[in-house]
């Protein structure tokens, strides 16, 4: 009887098992077919403080995930413009200075009008933007002023970095690579559950460059060399019941590089004899110029579900220190002419944001909150050494060397309540209205000490600068109307106002403070998914009325921020993703833009002196292009992936065309148009545990200026962008 029972069970179970296997095989076939027909994948962003499909957000956004950045050769924020038309970047004194649609700053001691956020925390210190991207989940670039939900200093837009979130599932990744300049980069990421309801992650990235991109022809040392860069990040996530999540994040960065390899701008000369260089990345300096930054911070994020809404609290404290040293006129002669030494430039900040975000049920959604911010930046001090013939003789008198030491401390305190609501008042038709009121107070104290010495020392203190506080009380707002014409087509119009707060000239303490700038933006756009979702095509047109914009100029070899009058910017953005087959996809975009000063009659310009140097004069810059404004920029990336007997092969080619742009309002110093071409071939094992990538970046070997200024001593520029590089990277993951 037992035998018969066994035979009966076998007779029943065997066909069921066979049917299950057939069903599984059929499911795999159907899944493959579905993947073939799935089209482009959805992108989720938090541009409005809540997770939303990119195609439902009436804002021009370029979003790219970590894998896409790795394939395209995007290893840090400085290289992000290669996949983001309309975004350009400069590097001054080790500070990352992004521009979106021509809106940005070249000052290294002010907050940038393109606000940088990492995991919801605002980073006011620009030098924290020069970071590697070892554990990034997504980078989203929001174009245009985001004055309601992000508020302060977001007149140009916002760069949102979201890092990977640890879960209870274990994850490990180790990556190491080297290039033709002996640049080693090693990355480790580990995450997983460490207790019931507790998950953690840790990432570390270390990079050093064995050979510089140029040579200091005076002492034979390398120039444009990343001596070291260490980035650390740790996360702890606690699930305190079913309604509350708590995330604690700590990060640290320590970076030093040989920079400031100045050469004269083509067609110009310094005011003293100098020996030319053969390679634009070479220099002739008596010192090894460098920039350095170390610092980091901690943040605490609490998410609590209230059923009708989510309550979010984000608390963050950050601090860091900057130092740099450079020779402003490297000539190869035994003597210095102008040397700038910033021994320590500390910064501290604290921010607290409270958000109450409604759930998505019903036709009415809203977000309200408040943001508190405290920031302190200081010079302790910055020292400028002037040697003949560059010292101001009327100030110092006829002696040899001169020192100018500038001390300055600027403290900022701000609070801003905000709110935004969206009402679907008709099927598919939504009205969004938002507002923010910013109160900000800045205090400043500073002084300058002039020292002359020729065997004896005579110190001449100038009167201390203790101006009145600078107070800002400004509203900003957003109004948008969008229409969901079909499930795959969204149209919208919007009007936004953004402001960037004013401040004091920390590097030039006796100059008056600069006032807030204002930008009114009008946009119209379409977001579409076409051809069974095989093509995602988003188009946005914009018009900016830009007033009181903050402009950088140099007076007595010192950086000063002043206010320009008015500017006008308008143009068209286009982004697309296309899945031509299951193996081949294309992505890219373009921006056509016109940006000019409509009224700027007291701008600082220069006249090139035949014997070298420049004469600074007052010019009418009305009608000139605003700095960093490109007339045309475009990018195109092709990805092809195929399975082979020994694993999977992924091919990527990414090209980025950048139109020419100017560095200053007088439109003399100019970066010509250029093309950045990156490519990679990646093999991945069948079990997806191992991969090997061969890659090349800036394959056209373009020479790109990252630092430029007009001064009486001349027009020193630096070609800080990396030349052609190629290398190999190996990765282990499970």
């Amino acid at each position: 009887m037992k035998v018969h029972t066994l035979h009966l069970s076998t007779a029943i179970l065997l066909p069921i098992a066979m049917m299950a296997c057939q069903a599984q095989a059929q499911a795999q076939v159907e899944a493959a077919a579905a993947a073939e027909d799935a089209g482009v994948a959805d992108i989720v962003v938090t541009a409005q403080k809540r997770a939303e499909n990119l195609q439902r957000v009436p804002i021009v956004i370029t979003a790219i995930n970590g894998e896409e950045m790795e394939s395209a050769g995007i290893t840090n924020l400085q290289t992000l413009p290669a996949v983001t038309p309309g975004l350009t970047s400069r590097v001054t004194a080790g500070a990352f200075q992004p521009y979106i649609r021509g809106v940005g700053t070249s000052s290294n001691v002010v907050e940038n009008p393109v606000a940088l956020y990492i995991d919801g925390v605002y980073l006011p210190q620009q030098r924290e933007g020069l970071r590697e991207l070892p554990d990034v989940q997504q980078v989203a670039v929001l174009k245009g002023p985001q004055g309601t939900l992000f508020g302060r200093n977001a007149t140009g837009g916002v760069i949102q970095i979201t890092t990977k979130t640890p879960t209870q599932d274990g994850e490990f990744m180790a990556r190491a690579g080297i290039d033709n300049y002996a640049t080693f980069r090693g990355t480790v990421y580990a995450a997983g559950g460490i207790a019931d309801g507790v998950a953690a992650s840790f990432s570390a990235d270390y990079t050093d460059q064995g050979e510089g991109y140029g040579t200091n022809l005076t002492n034979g040392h390398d120039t444009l060399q990343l001596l070291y860069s260490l980035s650390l990040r740790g996360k702890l996530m606690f699930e305190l019941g079913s309604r509350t999540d708590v995330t604690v994040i700590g990060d640290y960065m320590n970076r030093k590089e040989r920079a400031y390899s100045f050469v004269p701008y083509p067609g110009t000369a310094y005011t003293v004899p100098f020996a030319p260089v053969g390679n634009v990345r070479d220099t002739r300096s008596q010192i090894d110029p460098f920039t350095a930054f170390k610092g980091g911070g901690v943040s605490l994020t609490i998410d609590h579900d209230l059923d009708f809404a989510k309550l979010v609290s984000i608390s963050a404290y950050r601090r860091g220190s900057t130092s740099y040293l450079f020779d402003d006129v490297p000539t190869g002669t035994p003597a210095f002419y102008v040397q700038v030494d910033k021994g320590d430039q500390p910064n501290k900040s604290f921010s607290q944001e409270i958000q109450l975000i409604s759930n998505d049920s019903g036709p009415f959604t809203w977000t309200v909150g408040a943001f508190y911010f405290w920031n302190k930046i200081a010079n302790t001090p910055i020292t400028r050494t002037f040697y003949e013939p560059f010292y101001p003789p009327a100030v110092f008198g006829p002696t040899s060397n001169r020192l100018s030491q500038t001390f300055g401390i600027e403290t900022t305190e701000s609070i801003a309540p905000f709110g935004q609501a969206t009402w679907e008042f008709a099927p598919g038709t939504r009205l969004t209205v938002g507002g923010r009121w910013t109160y900000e107070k800045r205090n400043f104290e500073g002084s300058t000490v002039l020292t002359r010495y020729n065997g004896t020392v005579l110190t001449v203190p100038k009167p201390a600068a203790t101006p009145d506080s600078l107070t800002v009380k400004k509203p900003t707002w957003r109004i948008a109307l969008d229409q969901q014409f079909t499930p795959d087509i969204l149209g919208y119009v919007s009007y936004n106002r953004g402001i960037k707060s004013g401040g004091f000239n920390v590097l030039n303490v006796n100059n008056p403070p600069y006032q807030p700038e204002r930008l009114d933006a009008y946009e119209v756009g379409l977001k579409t998914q076409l051809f069974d979702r095989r093509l995602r095509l988003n188009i946005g047109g914009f018009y900016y009325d830009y007033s009181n914009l903050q402009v950088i100029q140099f007076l007595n070899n010192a950086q000063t921020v002043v206010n320009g009058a008015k500017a006008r910017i308008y143009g068209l953005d286009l982004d697309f993703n296309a899945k031509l087959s299951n193996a081949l996809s294309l992505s890219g975009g373009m921006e056509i833009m016109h940006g000019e000063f409509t009224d700027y009659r007291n701008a600082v310009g220069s006249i090139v002196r035949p014997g070298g140097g420049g004469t600074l004069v007052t010019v009418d810059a009305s009608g000139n292009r605003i700095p960093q404004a490109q007339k045309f920029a475009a990018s195109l990336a092709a990805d092809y992936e195929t399975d082979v007997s020994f694993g999977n092969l992924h091919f990527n080619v990414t090209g980025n065309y950048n139109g020419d742009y100017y560095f200053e309002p007088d439109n003399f110093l100019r970066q010509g148009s250029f093309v950045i071409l990156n490519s990679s071939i990646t093999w991945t094992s069948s079990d997806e545990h191992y991969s090997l990538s061969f890659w090349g970046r800036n394959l056209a070997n373009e020479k790109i200026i990252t630092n430029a200024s007009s001064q009486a001593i001349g027009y020193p520029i630096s070609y800080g962008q990396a030349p052609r590089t190629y290398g190999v990277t190996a990765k282990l993951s499970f």
Side-chain angles (χ1 to χ4, degrees):
M1 192 68 182
K2 291 180 180 179
V3 174
H4 289 295
T5 303
L6 179 62
H7 287 172
L8 181 60
S9 300
T10 304
I12 294 174
L13 294 176
L14 184 60
I16 293 176
M18 292 177 63
M19 292 173 62
C21 292
Q22 291 174 352
Q24 183 179 10
Q26 179 64 28
Q28 291 174 345
V29 172
E30 292 176 355
E36 180 75 25
D37 298 331
V40 295
D42 288 339
I43 299 175
V44 177
V45 296
T46 55
Q48 298 187 117
K49 302 292 188 182
R50 64 177 72 233
E52 298 173 291
N53 189 322
L54 174 72
Q55 297 304 102
R56 299 292 185 264
V57 181
I59 300 172
V60 177
I61 304 170
T62 298
I64 182 170
N65 63 40
E67 293 180 356
E68 293 168 335
M69 287 190 291
E70 187 176 348
S71 296
I74 308 304
T75 60
N76 52 47
L77 288 180
Q78 189 181 352
T79 56
L80 190 61
V83 292
T84 313
L87 172 68
T88 61
S89 67
R90 296 180 59 171
V91 177
T92 303
F96 170 63
Q97 298 170 337
Y99 285 71
I100 296 179
R101 296 173 174 170
V103 180
T105 183
S106 61
S107 172
N108 58 79
V109 293
V110 304
E111 295 171 71
N112 200 293
V114 176
L116 176 62
Y117 282 78
I118 298 183
D119 293 326
V121 174
Y122 172 59
L123 273 61
Q125 172 57 260
Q126 295 184 47
R127 290 173 179 84
E128 294 203 70
L130 280 186
R131 61 175 60 236
E132 308 302 310
L133 302 172
D135 59 346
V136 168
Q137 183 70 35
Q138 182 191 81
V139 175
V141 179
L142 285 58
K143 299 181 180 179
Q146 309 296 319
T148 299
L149 296 180
F150 293 93
R152 61 174 297 104
N153 305 331
T155 46
V158 170
I159 298 177
Q160 277 185 307
I161 300 176
T162 304
T163 62
K164 293 182 178 180
T165 300
T167 65
Q168 290 292 324
D169 298 328
E171 182 180 357
F172 177 81
M173 183 273 291
R175 181 173 55 209
I178 195 165
D179 70 8
N180 54 312
Y181 286 91
T183 304
F184 168 81
R185 181 182 180 186
T187 302
V188 174
Y189 176 78
I194 59 175
D196 186 24
V198 182
S201 67
F202 173 78
S203 68
D205 183 280
Y206 179 78
T207 305
D208 65 55
Q209 185 177 330
E211 180 183 345
Y213 300 139
T215 303
N216 187 337
L217 300 177
T218 301
N219 58 22
H221 297 170
D222 287 346
T223 66
L224 298 174
Q225 179 185 19
L226 180 59
L227 298 175
Y228 55 81
S229 175
L230 174 65
S231 299
L232 305 174
R233 185 188 316 278
K235 280 189 177 184
L236 276 174
M237 294 193 64
F238 303 88
E239 293 182 6
L240 305 182
S242 60
R243 290 178 174 267
T244 306
D245 294 333
V246 176
T247 304
V248 180
I249 305 176
D251 70 279
Y252 175 77
M253 183 172 70
N254 191 352
R255 178 187 179 95
K256 184 176 182 179
E257 60 183 326
R258 288 179 177 168
Y260 287 119
S261 297
F262 286 128
V263 294
Y265 183 72
T268 71
Y270 299 133
T271 56
V272 293
F274 66 96
V277 297
N279 182 346
V280 296
R281 296 184 177 91
D282 292 343
T283 193
R284 294 183 181 274
S285 177
Q286 295 294 322
I287 57 175
D288 288 320
F290 73 88
T291 65
F293 174 83
K294 60 181 178 181
V298 293
S299 67
L300 173 67
T301 301
I302 303 173
D303 287 12
H304 181 67
D305 186 2
L306 298 172
D307 288 333
F308 73 96
K310 180 173 70 171
L311 178 64
V312 180
S313 169
I314 305 175
S315 310
Y317 173 75
R318 307 197 65 79
R319 67 181 300 169
S321 178
T322 298
S323 58
Y324 52 83
L325 173 69
F326 64 89
D327 179 1
D328 217 3
V329 191
T331 64
T333 59
F336 291 112
Y337 290 98
V338 180
Q339 178 180 319
V340 180
D341 182 2
K342 181 67 203 74
D344 183 31
Q345 192 178 59
N347 65 275
K348 299 178 183 179
S349 68
F350 172 78
S351 62
Q352 173 64 57
E353 183 165 3
I354 299 293
Q355 307 167 10
L356 189 62
I357 306 169
S358 72
N359 60 39
D360 294 329
S361 63
F364 187 76
T365 59
W366 47 266
T367 299
V368 296
F371 180 74
Y372 172 81
F373 178 70
W374 178 88
N375 186 45
K376 182 177 181 179
I377 186 171
N379 288 319
T380 58
I382 181 171
T383 302
R384 302 178 183 91
T385 307
F386 299 90
Y387 301 81
E388 294 188 74
F390 294 119
Y391 61 85
V395 176
F396 290 103
T399 57
S400 55
N401 302 340
R402 286 86 183 153
L403 294 179
S404 170
Q405 291 186 308
T406 299
F407 300 80
I409 299 176
E410 182 183 42
T411 304
T412 303
E413 190 170 25
S414 174
I415 189 167
F418 60 86
Q420 180 170 296
T422 298
W423 176 36
E424 186 173 0
F425 61 90
T429 305
R430 302 186 304 174
L431 174 67
T432 298
V433 178
R436 189 182 190 106
W437 187 80
T438 298
Y439 170 84
E440 178 176 287
K441 184 176 182 180
R442 292 188 180 229
N443 292 305
F444 179 74
E445 56 180 306
S447 63
T448 298
V449 177
L450 307 178
T451 303
R452 64 186 184 189
Y453 57 92
N454 58 348
T456 61
V457 177
L458 175 62
T459 299
V460 184
K462 297 184 71 174
T466 55
D468 294 335
S469 299
L470 183 65
T471 302
V472 174
K473 301 176 183 178
K474 296 285 186 181
T476 52
W477 54 76
R478 171 176 173 78
I479 303 172
L481 181 68
D482 63 85
Q483 173 66 50
Q484 197 73 52
F485 295 107
T486 73
D488 293 326
I489 300 178
L490 174 76
Y492 64 90
V493 295
S494 68
Y495 165 45
N496 301 269
R497 168 167 289 187
I499 62 167
K500 179 180 181 296
S501 57
F504 296 93
N505 281 292
V506 179
L507 297 179
N508 207 341
V509 299
N510 294 107
N511 278 76
Y514 52 95
Q515 300 302 312
E517 64 180 20
R518 188 190 74 198
L519 194 152
D520 288 314
Y522 307 85
E523 296 196 353
V524 57
L526 275 177
K527 295 197 169 187
T528 68
Q529 295 184 115
L530 308 172
F531 307 114
D532 293 328
R533 295 169 56 90
R534 289 187 174 275
L535 174 64
R536 177 168 51 232
L537 178 64
N538 297 334
I539 303 173
F542 59 92
Y543 179 90
Y544 287 176
D545 183 3
Y546 197 8
S547 58
N548 222 26
L549 58 162
Q550 296 164 9
V551 182
I552 311 305
Q553 62 187 28
F554 278 80
L555 297 174
N556 296 326
N557 302 105
Q559 180 191 107
T560 303
V561 185
V562 299
N563 290 102
K566 294 182 179 180
R568 175 177 56 219
I569 308 172
Y570 56 87
L572 181 71
D573 271 300
L574 181 148
D575 287 280
F576 78 91
N577 297 83
K579 189 172 183 180
L580 304 185
S581 70
N582 197 39
L584 179 63
S585 61
L586 300 177
S587 61
M590 71 173 189
E591 183 173 275
I592 304 170
M593 188 178 73
H594 178 82
E596 68 173 15
F597 290 102
T598 56
D599 182 12
Y600 192 11
R601 303 179 188 180
N602 59 342
V604 173
S606 64
I607 300 174
V608 179
R609 294 201 295 263
T615 301
L616 300 183
V617 296
T618 299
V619 299
D620 185 354
S622 304
N624 287 1
R625 285 163 63 183
I626 65 174
Q628 301 287 134
Q630 299 170 298
K631 290 186 176 181
F632 180 74
S635 67
L636 178 64
D639 289 270
Y640 180 78
E641 189 169 345
T642 182
D643 291 328
V644 292
S645 60
F646 51 90
N648 175 276
L649 291 178
H650 184 110
F651 302 86
N652 172 273
V653 177
T654 299
N656 172 235
Y657 172 83
N658 290 266
D660 72 315
Y661 51 86
Y662 294 98
F663 290 95
E664 296 174 320
D666 66 344
N667 285 188
F668 173 60
L669 295 176
R670 172 180 173 271
Q671 168 64 56
S673 60
F674 59 91
V675 175
I676 296 295
L677 182 63
N678 299 339
S679 184
S680 65
I681 302 174
T682 302
W683 165 80
T684 303
S685 63
S686 300
D687 59 9
E688 299 184 348
H689 290 332
Y690 309 96
S691 69
L692 189 65
S693 178
F694 299 90
W695 49 264
R697 296 164 189 154
N698 191 11
L699 294 175
N701 200 26
E702 294 279 21
K703 300 176 178 63
I704 304 166
I705 301 171
T706 56
N707 196 347
S709 61
S710 296
Q711 304 181 41
I713 59 176
Y715 304 87
I717 64 172
S718 180
Y719 293 86
Q721 191 86 354
R724 180 189 296 118
T725 57
Y726 48 87
V728 59
T729 300
K731 183 167 71 171
L732 167 67
S733 58
F734 55 84

